[in-house]
Coordinates of all heavy atoms in Angstrom, one line a residue:
E23 N 123.4 160.7 236.8 CA 122.7 159.9 237.8 C 121.3 160.3 237.9 O 120.9 161.5 237.9 CB 123.3 160.0 239.2 CG 122.9 159.1 240.3 CD 123.7 159.2 241.5 OE1 124.3 160.2 241.8 OE2 123.6 158.2 242.3
Q24 N 120.4 159.3 238.0 CA 118.9 159.6 238.1 C 118.4 159.0 239.4 O 118.7 157.9 239.8 CB 118.2 159.1 236.9 CG 118.6 159.8 235.6 CD 117.8 159.2 234.4 OE1 117.2 158.1 234.4 NE2 117.8 160.0 233.3
I25 N 117.4 159.7 240.0 CA 116.7 159.2 241.2 C 115.6 158.2 240.8 O 114.9 158.5 239.8 CB 116.1 160.3 242.0 CG1 117.2 161.3 242.4 CG2 115.3 159.8 243.2 CD1 116.7 162.6 243.1
I26 N 115.5 157.1 241.4 CA 114.4 156.2 241.3 C 113.3 156.3 242.3 O 112.2 156.4 242.0 CB 115.0 154.7 241.2 CG1 116.1 154.5 240.1 CG2 113.9 153.7 241.1 CD1 116.9 153.3 240.2
A27 N 113.8 156.3 243.6 CA 112.9 156.4 244.6 C 113.5 157.0 245.9 O 114.7 156.8 246.1 CB 112.2 155.0 245.0
V28 N 112.7 157.7 246.8 CA 113.2 158.2 248.0 C 112.1 157.9 249.0 O 111.0 158.5 248.9 CB 113.5 159.7 248.0 CG1 114.0 160.2 249.4 CG2 114.5 160.0 246.9
Y29 N 112.4 157.1 250.0 CA 111.4 156.8 251.1 C 111.8 157.2 252.5 O 113.0 157.0 252.9 CB 111.1 155.2 251.1 CG 110.4 154.7 249.9 CD1 110.9 153.7 249.2 CD2 109.1 155.2 249.6 CE1 110.2 153.2 248.1 CE2 108.4 154.7 248.5 CZ 108.9 153.7 247.8 OH 108.2 153.1 246.7
D30 N 110.9 157.7 253.2 CA 111.1 158.2 254.6 C 111.2 156.9 255.4 O 110.5 155.9 255.1 CB 109.9 159.0 255.0 CG 110.1 159.7 256.4 OD1 111.2 160.0 256.7 OD2 109.1 159.7 257.1
A31 N 112.1 156.8 256.3 CA 112.3 155.7 257.2 C 111.9 156.0 258.6 O 111.8 157.2 259.0 CB 113.8 155.3 257.2
I32 N 111.5 155.0 259.4 CA 111.1 155.2 260.7 C 112.1 154.4 261.7 O 112.9 153.6 261.1 CB 109.7 154.8 261.0 CG1 109.5 153.3 260.7 CG2 108.7 155.6 260.2 CD1 108.1 152.8 261.0
G33 N 112.0 154.6 262.9 CA 112.8 153.8 263.8 C 114.1 154.7 264.1 O 114.4 155.8 263.7
A34 N 115.0 154.1 265.0 CA 116.1 154.8 265.5 C 117.1 155.0 264.5 O 117.6 154.1 263.7 CB 116.8 153.9 266.6
G35 N 117.5 156.3 264.3 CA 118.7 156.7 263.5 C 118.4 157.0 262.1 O 118.9 158.1 261.7
T36 N 117.6 156.3 261.3 CA 117.6 156.5 259.9 C 116.5 157.5 259.5 O 115.4 157.5 260.0 CB 117.2 155.2 259.2 OG1 118.2 154.2 259.6 CG2 117.3 155.3 257.7
G37 N 116.9 158.5 258.7 CA 116.0 159.5 258.2 C 115.3 159.1 256.9 O 114.2 159.3 256.8
F38 N 116.1 158.6 255.9 CA 115.5 158.2 254.7 C 116.5 157.3 253.9 O 117.6 157.2 254.2 CB 115.0 159.4 253.8 CG 116.2 160.3 253.4 CD1 117.0 160.0 252.2 CD2 116.5 161.5 254.0 CE1 118.0 160.8 251.8 CE2 117.4 162.3 253.6 CZ 118.2 161.9 252.5
I39 N 115.9 156.6 252.9 CA 116.7 155.9 251.9 C 116.4 156.4 250.5 O 115.2 156.6 250.2 CB 116.5 154.4 252.1 CG1 117.5 153.5 251.2 CG2 115.0 154.0 251.8 CD1 117.5 152.1 251.4
G40 N 117.4 156.5 249.8 CA 117.2 157.0 248.3 C 117.9 156.0 247.4 O 119.0 155.4 247.8
L41 N 117.2 155.7 246.3 CA 117.8 154.8 245.4 C 117.9 155.5 244.0 O 117.0 156.2 243.5 CB 116.8 153.6 245.2 CG 116.5 152.8 246.4 CD1 115.4 151.8 246.2 CD2 117.8 152.0 246.8
T42 N 119.1 155.5 243.5 CA 119.4 156.2 242.3 C 119.9 155.1 241.2 O 119.9 153.9 241.5 CB 120.5 157.2 242.4 OG1 121.8 156.6 242.5 CG2 120.3 158.1 243.6
S43 N 120.1 155.6 240.0 CA 120.6 154.7 239.0 C 122.0 154.1 239.3 O 122.4 153.1 238.7 CB 120.6 155.4 237.6 OG 121.4 156.6 237.7
R44 N 122.7 154.6 240.3 CA 124.0 154.3 240.6 C 124.3 153.7 242.0 O 125.2 153.0 242.2 CB 125.0 155.4 240.4 CG 125.1 155.8 239.0 CD 126.2 156.8 238.8 NE 126.4 157.3 237.4 CZ 127.3 158.1 237.0 NH1 128.1 158.7 237.8 NH2 127.3 158.4 235.7
R45 N 123.4 154.1 243.0 CA 123.7 153.9 244.3 C 122.5 153.9 245.2 O 121.4 154.4 244.9 CB 124.8 154.8 244.9 CG 124.4 156.3 244.8 CD 125.5 157.2 245.0 NE 125.2 158.5 244.4 CZ 125.4 159.7 245.1 NH1 126.0 159.6 246.3 NH2 125.0 160.8 244.6
I46 N 122.8 153.4 246.5 CA 121.8 153.6 247.6 C 122.3 154.7 248.5 O 123.5 154.7 248.8 CB 121.7 152.2 248.4 CG1 121.3 151.1 247.5 CG2 120.7 152.4 249.6 CD1 121.7 149.7 248.1
I47 N 121.4 155.5 248.9 CA 121.8 156.6 249.8 C 121.0 156.6 251.1 O 119.7 156.5 251.0 CB 121.6 158.0 249.1 CG1 122.4 158.1 247.8 CG2 122.0 159.1 250.0 CD1 122.0 159.2 246.9
I48 N 121.7 156.4 252.2 CA 121.0 156.3 253.5 C 121.3 157.5 254.4 O 122.5 157.7 254.6 CB 121.3 155.0 254.2 CG1 120.9 153.8 253.3 CG2 120.6 154.9 255.5 CD1 121.3 152.4 253.9
Q49 N 120.3 158.2 254.9 CA 120.7 159.3 255.8 C 120.4 158.7 257.2 O 119.3 158.2 257.5 CB 119.7 160.5 255.6 CG 120.1 161.6 256.6 CD 119.1 162.7 256.7 OE1 117.9 162.4 257.0 NE2 119.4 163.9 256.4
D50 N 121.5 158.9 258.0 CA 121.4 158.4 259.4 C 121.5 159.5 260.4 O 122.4 160.4 260.3 CB 122.6 157.5 259.6 CG 122.6 156.9 261.1 OD1 121.9 157.3 261.9 OD2 123.4 155.9 261.2
Q51 N 120.4 159.7 261.2 CA 120.3 160.9 262.0 C 120.6 160.6 263.6 O 120.3 161.3 264.4 CB 118.8 161.4 262.0 CG 118.4 161.9 260.6 CD 117.0 162.4 260.6 OE1 116.2 162.1 261.5 NE2 116.6 163.2 259.6
S52 N 121.3 159.5 263.7 CA 121.6 159.0 265.1 C 122.8 159.6 265.8 O 123.2 159.3 266.9 CB 121.7 157.6 265.2 OG 122.8 157.1 264.5
Y53 N 123.4 160.6 265.1 CA 124.7 161.2 265.7 C 124.3 162.3 266.8 O 123.4 163.0 266.6 CB 125.6 161.7 264.6 CG 126.1 160.7 263.7 CD1 125.5 160.2 262.6 CD2 127.4 160.1 264.0 CE1 126.0 159.1 261.9 CE2 127.9 159.1 263.3 CZ 127.2 158.6 262.2 OH 127.8 157.6 261.5
V54 N 125.1 162.4 267.7 CA 124.9 163.3 268.8 C 125.2 164.8 268.3 O 126.0 165.0 267.4 CB 125.9 163.0 270.0 CG1 125.8 164.0 271.1 CG2 125.7 161.6 270.5
G55 N 124.5 165.7 268.8 CA 124.7 167.1 268.5 C 124.1 167.6 267.2 O 124.6 168.4 266.5
Q56 N 123.0 167.0 266.9 CA 122.3 167.4 265.7 C 123.1 167.2 264.4 O 122.9 167.8 263.4 CB 121.8 168.8 265.7 CG 120.8 169.1 266.9 CD 120.3 170.5 266.9 OE1 120.9 171.4 266.2 NE2 119.2 170.7 267.6
R57 N 124.0 166.2 264.4 CA 124.7 165.8 263.3 C 124.1 164.6 262.6 O 123.3 163.9 263.3 CB 126.2 165.5 263.6 CG 126.9 166.6 264.2 CD 128.4 166.3 264.5 NE 128.5 165.0 265.2 CZ 129.6 164.3 265.3 NH1 130.7 164.7 264.7 NH2 129.7 163.2 266.0
F58 N 124.3 164.4 261.4 CA 123.8 163.3 260.7 C 124.8 162.9 259.6 O 125.7 163.6 259.2 CB 122.4 163.5 260.0 CG 122.4 164.5 259.0 CD1 122.7 164.2 257.7 CD2 122.2 165.9 259.3 CE1 122.6 165.2 256.7 CE2 122.2 166.9 258.4 CZ 122.4 166.5 257.1
A59 N 124.7 161.6 259.1 CA 125.6 161.1 258.1 C 124.7 160.7 256.9 O 123.6 160.2 257.0 CB 126.3 159.9 258.6
I60 N 125.3 160.9 255.7 CA 124.7 160.5 254.5 C 125.7 159.4 253.9 O 126.8 159.8 253.6 CB 124.4 161.5 253.5 CG1 123.3 162.5 254.1 CG2 123.9 161.0 252.2 CD1 122.9 163.5 253.2
T61 N 125.2 158.2 253.8 CA 126.1 157.1 253.4 C 125.7 156.7 252.0 O 124.5 156.4 251.7 CB 126.0 155.9 254.3 OG1 126.3 156.3 255.6 CG2 126.8 154.7 253.9
S62 N 126.6 156.6 251.1 CA 126.4 156.2 249.7 C 127.0 154.8 249.5 O 128.1 154.5 249.8 CB 127.0 157.1 248.7 OG 126.5 158.4 248.7
I63 N 126.1 153.9 249.0 CA 126.6 152.5 248.8 C 126.4 152.2 247.3 O 125.2 152.1 246.9 CB 125.7 151.5 249.6 CG1 125.7 152.0 251.1 CG2 126.1 150.1 249.5 CD1 124.6 151.4 252.0
P64 N 127.4 152.0 246.6 CA 127.3 151.5 245.2 C 126.7 150.1 245.2 O 126.9 149.3 246.1 CB 128.7 151.4 244.7 CG 129.6 152.2 245.7 CD 128.8 152.2 247.0
Y65 N 125.8 149.9 244.2 CA 125.1 148.6 244.1 C 126.1 147.4 244.0 O 125.8 146.4 244.6 CB 124.2 148.6 242.9 CG 123.0 149.5 243.1 CD1 122.9 150.7 242.3 CD2 121.9 149.3 244.0 CE1 121.7 151.5 242.4 CE2 120.9 150.0 244.1 CZ 120.7 151.2 243.3 OH 119.7 152.0 243.5
S66 N 127.2 147.7 243.5 CA 128.2 146.6 243.3 C 128.8 146.2 244.7 O 129.3 145.1 244.8 CB 129.4 147.0 242.4 OG 130.1 148.2 243.0
R67 N 128.6 146.9 245.7 CA 129.2 146.6 247.0 C 128.1 145.8 247.9 O 128.5 145.3 248.9 CB 129.6 147.9 247.8 CG 130.6 148.7 247.0 CD 131.9 148.0 246.8 NE 132.6 148.1 248.1 CZ 133.7 147.4 248.3 NH1 134.3 146.7 247.5 NH2 134.3 147.5 249.5
V68 N 126.8 145.8 247.4 CA 125.8 145.1 248.2 C 126.0 143.6 248.0 O 126.0 143.1 246.9 CB 124.4 145.5 247.7 CG1 123.3 144.7 248.4 CG2 124.2 147.0 247.9
S69 N 126.2 142.9 249.2 CA 126.4 141.5 249.2 C 125.0 140.7 249.3 O 124.9 139.6 248.8 CB 127.4 141.0 250.2 OG 127.0 141.4 251.5
S70 N 124.1 141.3 250.0 CA 122.8 140.8 250.1 C 121.7 141.8 250.5 O 122.1 142.8 251.2 CB 122.7 139.6 251.1 OG 122.9 140.0 252.5
V71 N 120.5 141.6 250.2 CA 119.4 142.5 250.7 C 118.2 141.5 251.1 O 117.9 140.5 250.5 CB 119.0 143.4 249.6 CG1 118.4 142.8 248.4 CG2 117.9 144.4 250.1
S72 N 117.7 141.8 252.3 CA 116.6 141.0 252.9 C 115.4 141.8 253.2 O 115.5 142.9 253.7 CB 117.1 140.2 254.2 OG 118.3 139.6 253.9
V73 N 114.2 141.2 253.1 CA 113.0 141.7 253.7 C 112.8 141.0 255.0 O 112.8 139.7 255.0 CB 111.8 141.5 252.8 CG1 110.5 142.0 253.5 CG2 112.0 142.2 251.4
V74 N 112.8 141.7 256.1 CA 112.7 141.1 257.4 C 111.3 141.0 257.8 O 110.5 142.0 257.7 CB 113.4 142.0 258.5 CG1 113.3 141.4 259.9 CG2 114.9 142.3 258.0
S75 N 110.8 139.8 258.2 CA 109.4 139.6 258.5 C 109.3 138.6 259.6 O 110.2 137.9 260.1 CB 108.6 139.1 257.3 OG 109.2 138.2 256.5
N76 N 108.1 138.6 260.2 CA 107.8 137.7 261.3 C 106.8 136.7 260.9 O 106.0 137.0 260.1 CB 107.2 138.5 262.5 CG 108.1 139.5 263.1 OD1 109.3 139.2 263.2 ND2 107.6 140.8 263.3
K77 N 106.9 135.5 261.4 CA 106.0 134.4 261.0 C 104.9 134.3 262.1 O 105.3 134.2 263.3 CB 106.8 133.1 260.9 CG 105.9 132.0 260.3 CD 106.8 130.7 260.0 CE 105.9 129.7 259.4 NZ 106.7 128.5 259.1
S78 N 103.7 134.3 261.7 CA 102.6 134.2 262.7 C 102.4 132.8 263.1 O 102.9 131.8 262.5 CB 101.3 134.7 262.1 OG 100.8 133.8 261.2
W79 N 101.6 132.6 264.1 CA 101.2 131.3 264.6 C 100.5 130.4 263.6 O 100.6 129.2 263.6 CB 100.4 131.4 265.9 CG 99.1 132.0 265.6 CD1 98.8 133.4 265.7 CD2 97.8 131.3 265.3 NE1 97.5 133.6 265.4 CE2 96.9 132.4 265.1 CE3 97.5 130.1 265.0 CZ2 95.5 132.1 264.8 CZ3 96.2 129.8 264.7 CH2 95.2 130.8 264.6
A80 N 99.8 131.0 262.6 CA 99.0 130.3 261.6 C 99.9 130.0 260.4 O 99.4 129.4 259.4 CB 97.9 131.1 261.2
G81 N 101.2 130.4 260.4 CA 102.0 130.1 259.3 C 102.0 131.1 258.2 O 102.7 131.0 257.2
Q82 N 101.3 132.2 258.4 CA 101.2 133.3 257.4 C 102.4 134.2 257.7 O 102.7 134.5 258.9 CB 99.9 134.0 257.5 CG 98.7 133.2 257.2 CD 98.6 132.7 255.8 OE1 99.0 133.4 254.9 NE2 98.2 131.5 255.6
F83 N 103.0 134.8 256.7 CA 104.0 135.8 256.8 C 103.5 137.2 256.9 O 102.8 137.6 256.0 CB 105.0 135.6 255.7 CG 105.9 134.4 256.0 CD1 105.6 133.2 255.3 CD2 107.1 134.5 256.7 CE1 106.4 132.1 255.5 CE2 107.9 133.4 256.9 CZ 107.6 132.2 256.4
F84 N 103.9 138.0 257.8 CA 103.6 139.4 257.9 C 104.8 140.1 257.8 O 105.7 140.0 258.6 CB 102.9 139.7 259.2 CG 101.6 139.0 259.4 CD1 101.5 138.0 260.3 CD2 100.4 139.4 258.7 CE1 100.2 137.4 260.5 CE2 99.3 138.8 258.8 CZ 99.1 137.8 259.8
S85 N 104.9 141.0 256.8 CA 106.1 141.8 256.6 C 106.1 142.9 257.7 O 105.1 143.6 257.9 CB 106.2 142.4 255.3 OG 107.3 143.2 255.1
S86 N 107.2 143.1 258.3 CA 107.4 144.2 259.3 C 107.7 145.5 258.6 O 107.7 146.5 259.3 CB 108.6 143.9 260.2 OG 109.8 143.8 259.6
G87 N 107.9 145.5 257.3 CA 108.3 146.8 256.6 C 109.7 147.2 256.8 O 110.0 148.3 256.8
T88 N 110.6 146.2 257.0 CA 112.0 146.4 257.2 C 112.8 145.7 256.2 O 112.5 144.6 255.8 CB 112.4 145.9 258.7 OG1 111.6 146.6 259.6 CG2 113.8 146.2 258.9
I89 N 113.9 146.4 255.7 CA 114.8 145.7 254.9 C 116.2 145.7 255.5 O 116.5 146.6 256.4 CB 114.9 146.2 253.5 CG1 115.4 147.6 253.4 CG2 113.6 146.1 252.7 CD1 116.0 148.2 252.1
A90 N 117.1 144.7 255.3 CA 118.4 144.7 255.7 C 119.3 144.6 254.5 O 119.1 143.8 253.6 CB 118.6 143.5 256.6
I91 N 120.3 145.5 254.4 CA 121.2 145.6 253.3 C 122.6 145.3 253.8 O 123.1 146.1 254.7 CB 121.2 147.0 252.7 CG1 119.8 147.4 252.3 CG2 122.2 147.1 251.5 CD1 119.6 148.9 251.9
A92 N 123.2 144.2 253.4 CA 124.6 143.9 253.8 C 125.6 144.4 252.9 O 125.5 144.1 251.6 CB 124.7 142.3 253.9
V93 N 126.6 145.0 253.5 CA 127.7 145.6 252.6 C 129.0 145.3 253.4 O 129.3 145.8 254.4 CB 127.6 147.1 252.5 CG1 128.7 147.7 251.7 CG2 126.2 147.6 251.9
G94 N 129.7 144.2 252.9 CA 130.9 143.8 253.6 C 130.4 143.3 255.0 O 129.5 142.4 255.1
T95 N 131.0 143.8 256.1 CA 130.7 143.3 257.4 C 129.6 144.2 258.1 O 129.3 143.9 259.3 CB 131.9 143.3 258.3 OG1 132.4 144.6 258.4 CG2 133.0 142.3 257.7
V96 N 129.1 145.1 257.4 CA 128.1 146.1 257.9 C 126.7 145.7 257.4 O 126.6 145.5 256.2 CB 128.4 147.5 257.6 CG1 127.4 148.5 258.1 CG2 129.8 147.9 258.2
T97 N 125.7 145.8 258.3 CA 124.4 145.6 257.8 C 123.5 146.8 258.2 O 123.5 147.2 259.3 CB 123.7 144.3 258.4 OG1 124.4 143.2 258.0 CG2 122.2 144.1 257.9
Y98 N 122.9 147.4 257.2 CA 122.1 148.6 257.4 C 120.6 148.1 257.4 O 120.2 147.4 256.5 CB 122.2 149.6 256.2 CG 123.6 150.1 256.1 CD1 124.6 149.6 255.3 CD2 124.0 151.3 256.8 CE1 125.8 150.1 255.1 CE2 125.3 151.8 256.7 CZ 126.2 151.2 255.8 OH 127.4 151.7 255.7
E99 N 119.9 148.4 258.5 CA 118.5 148.1 258.5 C 117.6 149.4 258.4 O 118.0 150.4 259.0 CB 118.1 147.4 259.9 CG 118.5 146.0 259.9 CD 117.9 145.2 261.0 OE1 116.7 145.5 261.4 OE2 118.5 144.3 261.5
V100 N 116.6 149.3 257.5 CA 115.8 150.4 257.3 C 114.4 150.0 257.5 O 113.9 149.0 256.8 CB 116.0 151.1 255.9 CG1 115.2 152.3 255.7 CG2 117.5 151.4 255.6
E101 N 113.6 150.7 258.3 CA 112.2 150.3 258.6 C 111.3 151.4 257.9 O 111.6 152.6 258.0 CB 112.0 150.3 260.1 CG 110.6 149.8 260.5 CD 110.4 149.7 262.0 OE1 111.4 150.0 262.8 OE2 109.3 149.3 262.4
F102 N 110.2 151.0 257.4 CA 109.3 151.8 256.7 C 107.9 151.8 257.2 O 107.6 150.8 258.0 CB 109.2 151.4 255.2 CG 110.5 151.3 254.5 CD1 111.2 150.1 254.3 CD2 111.0 152.4 253.9 CE1 112.4 150.1 253.7 CE2 112.2 152.4 253.2 CZ 112.9 151.2 253.1
R103 N 107.1 152.7 256.9 CA 105.7 152.7 257.2 C 105.0 152.0 256.1 O 104.6 152.5 255.1 CB 105.1 154.2 257.3 CG 105.6 155.0 258.4 CD 105.2 156.4 258.3 NE 105.7 157.2 259.4 CZ 106.9 157.9 259.3 NH1 107.6 157.8 258.2 NH2 107.3 158.6 260.3
G104 N 104.8 150.7 256.3 CA 104.2 149.8 255.3 C 105.1 148.9 254.7 O 106.2 149.2 254.3
S105 N 104.6 147.6 254.5 CA 105.4 146.6 253.9 C 105.6 146.8 252.4 O 106.6 146.3 251.8 CB 104.8 145.2 254.2 OG 103.5 145.1 253.5
D106 N 104.8 147.5 251.7 CA 104.9 147.7 250.3 C 106.2 148.4 249.9 O 106.9 148.1 248.9 CB 103.7 148.5 249.7 CG 102.4 147.7 249.7 OD1 102.5 146.4 249.9 OD2 101.4 148.3 249.5
K107 N 106.6 149.4 250.7 CA 107.8 150.1 250.5 C 109.0 149.2 250.7 O 110.0 149.3 249.9 CB 107.9 151.3 251.5 CG 106.9 152.4 251.1 CD 106.9 153.5 252.1 CE 105.7 154.4 251.8 NZ 105.6 155.5 252.7
A108 N 109.0 148.4 251.7 CA 110.1 147.5 251.9 C 110.3 146.5 250.8 O 111.4 146.3 250.3 CB 110.0 146.7 253.2
H109 N 109.2 146.0 250.2 CA 109.3 145.1 249.1 C 109.8 145.9 247.8 O 110.6 145.3 247.0 CB 108.0 144.4 248.8 CG 107.7 143.4 249.8 ND1 108.2 142.1 249.8 CD2 106.9 143.3 251.0 CE1 107.8 141.3 250.8 NE2 107.0 142.1 251.5
H110 N 109.3 147.1 247.6 CA 109.7 147.9 246.5 C 111.2 148.2 246.5 O 111.9 148.0 245.5 CB 108.9 149.2 246.4 CG 109.1 150.0 245.2 ND1 109.5 151.3 245.2 CD2 109.1 149.6 243.9 CE1 109.7 151.8 244.0 NE2 109.4 150.7 243.2
V111 N 111.7 148.6 247.7 CA 113.2 148.9 247.8 C 113.9 147.6 247.6 O 115.0 147.6 246.9 CB 113.5 149.5 249.2 CG1 115.0 149.5 249.5 CG2 112.8 150.9 249.3
H112 N 113.5 146.5 248.2 CA 114.2 145.2 248.0 C 114.3 144.8 246.5 O 115.4 144.5 246.0 CB 113.4 144.1 248.8 CG 113.9 142.8 248.5 ND1 113.5 141.9 247.5 CD2 114.8 142.0 249.2 CE1 114.1 140.8 247.6 NE2 114.9 140.8 248.6
N113 N 113.2 144.9 245.8 CA 113.2 144.6 244.4 C 114.0 145.5 243.5 O 114.7 145.1 242.6 CB 111.8 144.5 243.9 CG 111.0 143.3 244.5 OD1 111.6 142.4 245.0 ND2 109.7 143.4 244.4
L114 N 114.0 146.9 243.9 CA 114.8 147.8 243.1 C 116.3 147.5 243.3 O 117.1 147.6 242.4 CB 114.5 149.2 243.6 CG 113.2 149.8 243.1 CD1 112.9 151.1 243.7 CD2 113.3 150.0 241.6
I115 N 116.7 147.2 244.6 CA 118.1 147.0 244.8 C 118.5 145.7 244.1 O 119.6 145.7 243.4 CB 118.4 146.8 246.4 CG1 118.2 148.1 247.1 CG2 119.8 146.2 246.6 CD1 118.3 148.1 248.6
L116 N 117.7 144.7 244.1 CA 118.1 143.5 243.3 C 118.2 143.8 241.8 O 119.1 143.2 241.2 CB 117.0 142.4 243.6 CG 117.1 141.7 244.9 CD1 116.0 140.6 245.0 CD2 118.4 141.1 245.2
S117 N 117.2 144.5 241.3 CA 117.3 144.7 239.9 C 118.5 145.6 239.5 O 119.1 145.4 238.4 CB 116.0 145.4 239.4 OG 115.9 146.8 239.9

Side-chain angles (χ1 to χ4, degrees):
E23 186 174 25
Q24 296 181 343
I25 300 172
I26 301 169
V28 181
Y29 286 126
D30 191 37
I32 60 174
T36 307
F38 64 81
I39 185 170
L41 302 168
T42 76
S43 55
R44 294 186 178 183
R45 59 193 162 134
I46 303 162
I47 302 167
I48 299 174
Q49 183 194 55
D50 184 344
Q51 297 179 344
S52 66
Y53 291 87
V54 176
Q56 298 181 345
R57 298 183 312 159
F58 63 91
I60 295 183
T61 303
S62 292
I63 305 164
Y65 290 111
S66 63
R67 305 294 285 172
V68 174
S69 54
S70 69
V71 60
S72 306
V73 175
V74 181
S75 37
N76 297 318
K77 189 173 182 180
S78 76
W79 62 271
Q82 300 293 322
F83 284 93
F84 296 109
S85 176
S86 65
T88 301
I89 63 160
I91 304 164
V93 182
T95 60
V96 178
T97 299
Y98 298 91
E99 283 196 32
V100 182
E101 185 178 1
F102 303 97
R103 290 177 184 87
S105 61
D106 291 346
K107 293 175 185 178
H109 285 281
H110 187 234
V111 168
H112 175 270
N113 292 342
L114 283 173
I115 292 171
L116 285 180
S117 70

